Amino acid sequence: MAPKGSERTIKKIVAENRKARFNYEIVDTYEAGLVLTGTEVKSLRDGKANIAESYASDEGEEIWLINSHLPEYLQANRFNHEPRRRRKLLLSKREINRLRASINREGMTLVPLKIYFNDKGRAKLELALAKGKKLHDKRESEKERDWNRQKGRLLRERG
């Protein structure tokens, strides 16, 4: 048993949106729960999910994950789910209001970064409040990444 003050951060990452950090400037991140059916959870546990082209939008008093792909669970036959259905995100009212204000007022976007299982076995989504990068910003981040890679090679060669 873990001591009282320590936190366990065991995360099994199921899907990750790696292009999001290149295409967007991440301002803030939130952890949201997902409303899933049983076959969707089983499909996630198999590690089959894709959130590369997905986004989140606010509709009414709720926030929805749109265009995420969770493939059908093969053993479920007729009780299966629709792979690209909209999924409701579980956030507190305060977080929803804060996100809605940022989206409407400042023109930001909600981008999913990764889906994972937390230490209690619940499926969670890391959601980012982001601004789209311009082309010159993308070039700058690519230059910086290349320079860091080259710098690491030089340091390894010289010891």
Side-chain angles (χ1 to χ4, degrees), residues 22-23 133-142:
F22 179 72
N23 291 331
K133 281 187 183 178
K134 303 274 192 265
L135 184 60
H136 59 86
D137 293 334
K138 291 180 188 179
R139 286 186 191 136
E140 188 64 38
S141 61
E142 197 169 333

Side-chain angles (χ1 to χ4, degrees), residues 139-150:
R139 286 186 191 136
E140 188 64 38
S141 61
E142 197 169 333
K143 283 181 193 174
E144 185 178 331
R145 186 175 60 222
D146 288 344
W147 167 241
N148 287 335
R149 205 176 285 149
Q150 188 177 5

Side-chain angles (χ1 to χ4, degrees), residues 8-12 31 41 45 116-124:
R8 294 184 339 181
T9 55
I10 301 169
K11 292 183 182 179
K12 181 187 175 210
E31 182 182 66
V41 174
R45 290 206 187 278
Y116 61 91
F117 286 102
N118 66 0
D119 57 338
K120 293 182 180 179
R122 307 256 194 260
K124 298 289 182 177

Side-chain angles (χ1 to χ4, degrees), residues 16-26 51-53 111-113 133 138:
E16 192 169 9
N17 188 355
R18 296 175 60 195
K19 279 214 152 208
R21 295 194 187 275
F22 179 72
N23 291 331
Y24 298 96
E25 177 187 336
I26 307 299
I51 56 171
E53 299 152 3
V111 181
L113 296 178
K133 281 187 183 178
K138 291 180 188 179

Side-chain angles (χ1 to χ4, degrees), residues 47-102:
K48 300 174 183 171
N50 186 5
I51 56 171
E53 299 152 3
S54 62
Y55 61 96
S57 79
D58 66 329
E59 296 166 11
E61 298 291 315
E62 300 168 339
I63 296 190
W64 294 83
L65 181 64
I66 299 171
N67 205 22
S68 62
H69 184 264
L70 294 174
E72 292 181 342
Y73 185 64
L74 295 177
Q75 288 81 9
N77 58 34
R78 65 181 181 170
F79 300 109
N80 244 323
H81 62 277
E82 186 181 329
R84 287 211 183 263
R85 78 176 184 89
R86 298 163 12 117
R87 292 164 180 90
K88 184 177 173 182
L89 298 180
L90 302 173
L91 293 160
S92 68
K93 285 282 188 195
R94 179 181 291 163
E95 288 174 330
I96 291 173
N97 290 335
R98 189 177 306 140
L99 289 172
R100 187 178 304 131
S102 295

Side-chain angles (χ1 to χ4, degrees), residues 58 98-110 129:
D58 66 329
R98 189 177 306 140
L99 289 172
R100 187 178 304 131
S102 295
I103 291 169
N104 294 336
R105 200 173 317 124
E106 300 166 22
M108 294 188 172
T109 309
L110 290 175
L129 188 61

